[in-house]
């Protein structure tokens, strides 16, 4: 079953992946590719339109990304966003110049041509914007858009007409309807542009003519064919952590190739409380998969002894993970493929090798930390999906809700939440504190609806306390809870004070060696969701 495809050309924007996510929310399949990707590879996708992402450059910068010739030569519809708008205008004979006033953050959009297809069903709202406007609550305003630019289009190319403006951008949106070229200076893909999904849906469905039929069920059908074609009669091993990503990957691959898949669960001692038993019970007994459980706690603790650097931890855990796989595979006979639950945020933050301008934030054990001499070819059926799409897929595959809605857990496990040296005593201390936090959140139904990721962190510092009549000098636990739509950006969760007080009291009273609890109120950016 084939679907209409929208190709998104990435020019380095931090929001590029969000464009893909929004297009898929409109039930249209999209692929994100670098602007440097060869034309034949892009055109082989048979796109029905192009979206040009934003980016940090000026079109006049030396070495700035350029618009590939095939985009305009294709005759297909094009939507330029921010830098993409400037690039489109520059290449078609318009004029781009530096703004006297840079525009970052919320802005009010006035739609001057509401009957244009790009703004179909765009609710105009009751606000009037201008120098005298008093925008007291911009986030609730239907006509708010999110700006992030220094340069802007000063003169439109021949054939274009303006569609909308903001206080600082007289040409906030424009179009050449005859050639089906559209451009916006703002970012419709971010949550701070409330009606952005309407605009993107208009472009991909109404202007490009895509059929909105890309759903979890259709993805399953397509991936089953892809997996079978890749694997053939080969045998596959998959590292089953018990998290959502590896679980959904296992279920999808198992549907495609059945007993050709062997799941290997490595109990490295870095899991949450009682999780090892839950993993074995769920997948072996309930799901009927071929599962091998490997006890490797002592092996990991020995390898991590004395290591405090987070990147070293990740690489040690990643390499040992693969070596154990190789060891177990030899016992099984010929194994041809290694399957992983890699998803988009993993790829993004690991700065994949095909994205040369990216910066490494951290190395995931299932992306950047793999040893170069590993013996397996990778099977990664979720590599182009965001977390919410993975959950939808899990539901469609019939996995239990308790598993599908389990909060994200990093591949290296508690090793990156246990800051400083890894010892069994410190892991047990962290495990118990984390279990208390999770239990209290579950009691008030905030694990599924109130937060998207919540956990405890054991800090490598001690603090002075008083218990009874005595002075203590013990460990500090930090609590972290965030809300997010896409895990690329996140805000700290405003948990009820009485809940935090209850968690703190229980941890100090029930976890030996802890006398202080703090709550992390850092958003992403500038912080990351995990501490390491």
């Amino acid at each position: 079953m084939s679907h209409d495809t929208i190709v998104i050309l990435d020019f380095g924007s931090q929001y590029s992946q969000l464009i893909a996510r929004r297009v898929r929310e409109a039930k249209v399949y999209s692929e994100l590719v670098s602007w440097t990707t060869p034309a034949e590879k892009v055109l082989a996708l048979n796109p029905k339109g192009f979206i040009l992402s934003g980016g940090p450059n000026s079109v006049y910068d030396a070495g700035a990304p350029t618009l590939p010739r095939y985009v305009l030569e294709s005759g297909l519809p094009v939507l330029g966003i921010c830098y993409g708008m400037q690039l489109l205008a520059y290449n078609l004979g318009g004029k781009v110049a530096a703004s006297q006033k840079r525009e970052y953050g919320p802005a009010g959009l006035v739609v001057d041509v509401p009957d244009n297809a790009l703004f179909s069903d765009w609710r105009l709202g009751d606000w009037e914007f201008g120098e005298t406007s008093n925008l007291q609550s911009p986030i609730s305003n239907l006509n708010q858009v999110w700006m992030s630019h220094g340069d802007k289009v000063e003169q439109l190319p021949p054939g274009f007409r303006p569609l909308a403006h903001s206080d600082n951008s007289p040409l906030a949106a424009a179009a050449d309807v005859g050639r089906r070229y559209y451009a916006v200076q703002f970012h419709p893909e971010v949550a701070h542009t409330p009606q952005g999904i309407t605009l993107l849906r208009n472009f991909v469905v109404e202007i490009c003519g895509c059929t909105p039929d890309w759903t979890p069920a259709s993805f399953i059908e397509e991936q089953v064919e892809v997996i079978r074609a890749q694997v053939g009669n080969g045998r596959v091993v998959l590292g089953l952590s018990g998290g959502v990503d590896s679980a959904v990957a296992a279920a999808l691959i198992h549907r495609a190739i059945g007993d050709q898949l062997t799941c290997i669960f490595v109990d490295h001692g870095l899991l949450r409380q009682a999780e090892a038993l839950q993993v074995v019970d769920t997948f072996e007994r309930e799901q009927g998969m071929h599962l091998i459980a490997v006890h490797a706690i002592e092996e990991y603790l020995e390898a991590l002894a004395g290591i405090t650097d987070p990147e070293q931890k990740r690489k040690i855990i990643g390499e040992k993970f693969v070596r154990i796989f190789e060891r177990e595979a030899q016992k099984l006979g010929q194994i041809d493929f290694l399957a992983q639950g890699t998803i988009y945020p993993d790829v993004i933050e690991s700065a994949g090798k095909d994205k040369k301008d990216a910066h490494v934030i951290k190395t995931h054990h299932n992306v950047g930390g793999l040893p170069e001499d590993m013996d397996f070819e990778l099977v990664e059926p979720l590599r182009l999906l965001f977390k919410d799409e993975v959950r939808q897929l899990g539901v469609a595959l019939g996995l239990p809700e308790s598993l599908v809605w389990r909060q994200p857990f990093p591949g290296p496990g508690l090793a990156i939440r246990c800051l400083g040296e890894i010892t069994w005593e410190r892991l047990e201390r962290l495990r118990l504190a984390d279990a208390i936090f999770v239990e209290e959140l579950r009691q008030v139904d905030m694990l599924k609806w109130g937060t998207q990721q919540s956990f405890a962190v054991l800090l490598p510092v001690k603090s002075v306390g008083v218990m009874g009549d005595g002075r203590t000098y013990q460990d500090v636990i930090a609590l972290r809870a965030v809300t997010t739509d896409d895990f690329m950006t996140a805000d700290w969760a405003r948990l009820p004070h009485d809940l935090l007080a209850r968690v703190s009291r229980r941890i100090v009273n029930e976890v030996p060696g802890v006398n202080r609890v703090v709550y992390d109120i850092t958003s992403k950016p500038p912080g990351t969701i995990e501490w390491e």
Side-chain angles (χ1 to χ4, degrees), residues 1 7 64 81 194 196 217 223 227 243 262 275 278 377 383 385 393 402 415 425 446-447 457 471:
M1 182 179 181
V7 166
I81 296 174
Q223 281 301 308
I227 293 165
T262 298
E275 202 162 48
Q278 292 171 357
E377 182 181 336
R383 189 178 180 86
L385 298 186
L393 198 63
S402 59
E425 181 183 18
M446 294 194 75
L447 272 184
V457 179
R471 176 182 182 276

Side-chain angles (χ1 to χ4, degrees), residues 5 31 38 44 86 102 110 126 138 165 171 215 223 294 300 313 332 344 348 353 356 370 385 388 396 413 441 481 502:
T5 299
E31 284 206 23
Q86 297 159 22
R102 293 175 179 267
V110 177
D126 301 322
H165 70 274
L171 303 174
T215 63
Q223 281 301 308
V294 182
Y300 272 86
K313 289 180 184 177
L332 293 170
Y344 241 154
I348 295 161
K353 294 179 181 178
K356 63 181 180 181
L370 288 172
L385 298 186
D388 60 321
L441 287 170
R502 189 163 60 251

Side-chain angles (χ1 to χ4, degrees), residues 37-255:
T37 303
E40 58 272 17
K41 185 174 181 181
V42 176
L43 297 177
L45 297 172
N46 295 316
K48 295 202 71 173
F50 293 98
I51 297 178
L52 315 179
S53 84
N57 297 92
S58 165
V59 294
Y60 299 111
D61 287 345
T66 57
L67 184 64
R69 289 179 57 185
Y70 64 79
V71 173
L72 299 181
E73 291 175 351
S74 71
L76 295 171
V78 180
L79 171 64
I81 296 174
C82 197
Y83 180 77
M85 175 185 191
Q86 297 159 22
L87 203 55
L88 191 61
Y90 176 73
N91 278 269
L92 291 171
K95 184 178 180 181
V96 178
S99 299
Q100 291 184 351
K101 179 182 178 183
R102 293 175 179 267
E103 196 169 15
Y104 296 101
L109 185 75
V110 177
V111 179
D112 302 306
V113 188
D115 61 346
N116 183 272
L118 195 64
F119 288 99
S120 177
D121 296 325
W122 183 282
R123 298 171 61 191
L124 298 179
D126 301 322
W127 292 83
E128 290 295 333
F129 296 95
E131 293 181 0
T132 60
S133 65
N134 182 18
L135 193 57
Q136 296 293 332
S137 182
I139 290 180
S140 64
N141 181 9
L142 287 172
N143 284 342
Q144 175 187 291
V145 296
W146 191 258
M147 296 285 190
S148 180
H149 65 96
D151 291 359
K152 64 181 179 182
V153 176
E154 195 170 75
Q155 180 181 326
L156 290 173
F160 277 75
R161 68 180 294 202
L163 301 179
H165 70 274
S166 70
D167 281 350
N168 192 47
S169 293
L171 303 174
D176 180 334
V177 176
R179 290 186 288 181
R180 296 185 297 175
Y181 294 157
Y182 294 81
V184 294
Q185 186 60 73
F186 55 91
H187 288 274
E189 69 272 23
V190 302
H192 296 299
T193 301
Q195 297 195 80
I197 183 64
T198 298
L199 185 149
L200 290 171
R201 184 184 297 113
N202 287 339
F203 178 72
V204 300
V205 176
E206 302 301 329
I207 295 170
C208 296
C210 295
T211 301
D213 61 357
W214 193 73
T215 63
S218 66
F219 181 84
I220 291 170
E221 183 180 339
E222 288 188 350
Q223 281 301 308
V224 163
E225 295 179 4
V226 170
I227 293 165
R228 286 173 179 168
Q230 180 186 3
V231 172
N233 295 322
R235 298 181 64 190
V236 183
V237 288
L238 180 145
L240 196 58
S241 67
V244 178
D245 304 335
S246 66
V248 173
L252 180 55
I253 296 169
H254 187 257
R255 176 168 294 192

Side-chain angles (χ1 to χ4, degrees), residues 273-486:
Q273 193 174 69
E275 202 162 48
L277 291 175
Q278 292 171 357
V279 169
V280 174
D281 186 63
T282 298
F283 292 95
E284 189 173 56
R285 186 178 63 83
E286 295 180 15
Q287 298 298 314
M289 296 184 189
H290 182 209
L291 176 68
I292 296 173
V294 182
H295 180 89
I297 295 175
E298 291 79 8
E299 195 173 340
Y300 272 86
L301 288 175
E302 181 180 349
L304 290 167
I307 304 298
T308 59
D309 179 77
E311 278 298 296
Q312 275 190 277
K313 289 180 184 177
R314 289 177 181 273
K315 288 176 180 177
I316 288 171
I317 292 168
E319 178 155 0
K320 187 154 290 293
F321 169 81
V322 173
R323 296 311 175 205
I324 289 174
F325 259 71
E326 291 178 330
R327 189 174 69 204
E328 294 300 318
Q330 288 177 356
K331 298 176 184 178
L332 293 170
Q334 178 62 39
I335 293 294
D336 309 288
F337 300 90
L338 169 65
Q340 297 188 144
T342 307
I343 66 173
Y344 241 154
D346 299 336
V347 177
I348 295 161
E349 293 197 356
S350 297
K353 294 179 181 178
D354 59 343
K355 187 166 181 167
K356 63 181 180 181
D357 295 327
H359 297 280
V360 172
I361 296 176
K362 60 188 176 185
T363 301
H364 290 264
H365 84 278
N366 59 347
V367 183
L370 288 172
E372 294 181 0
D373 62 340
M374 57 172 278
D375 293 338
F376 307 120
E377 182 181 336
L378 293 178
V379 178
E380 297 176 309
L382 311 181
R383 189 178 180 86
L384 295 179
L385 298 186
F386 290 96
K387 179 67 71 172
D388 60 321
E389 294 175 314
V390 173
R391 294 190 194 281
Q392 293 172 29
L393 198 63
V395 172
L397 286 165
L399 290 174
E401 183 174 321
S402 59
L403 190 153
V404 171
W405 289 101
R406 180 175 289 170
Q407 290 197 347
F409 189 59
L414 295 181
I416 60 170
R417 295 177 181 175
C418 184
L419 277 61
E421 186 176 4
I422 304 294
T423 66
W424 184 250
E425 181 183 18
R426 297 191 78 227
L427 287 170
E428 287 285 86
R429 189 167 295 154
L430 173 58
R431 224 184 311 268
L432 181 54
D434 184 77
I436 290 170
F437 188 29
V438 168
E439 179 186 339
E440 291 294 337
L441 287 170
R442 183 179 292 113
Q443 290 292 330
V444 294
D445 202 24
M446 294 194 75
L447 272 184
K448 181 175 179 181
W449 304 114
T451 65
Q452 280 67 58
Q453 196 160 347
S454 317
F455 53 89
V457 179
L458 180 62
L459 304 186
V461 295
K462 295 182 182 294
S463 73
V464 174
V466 177
M467 292 184 177
D469 296 325
R471 176 182 182 276
T472 62
Y473 188 58
Q474 296 180 334
D475 286 341
V476 179
I477 288 286
L479 303 178
R480 177 71 157 151
V482 301
T483 58
T484 178
D485 290 329
D486 46 51

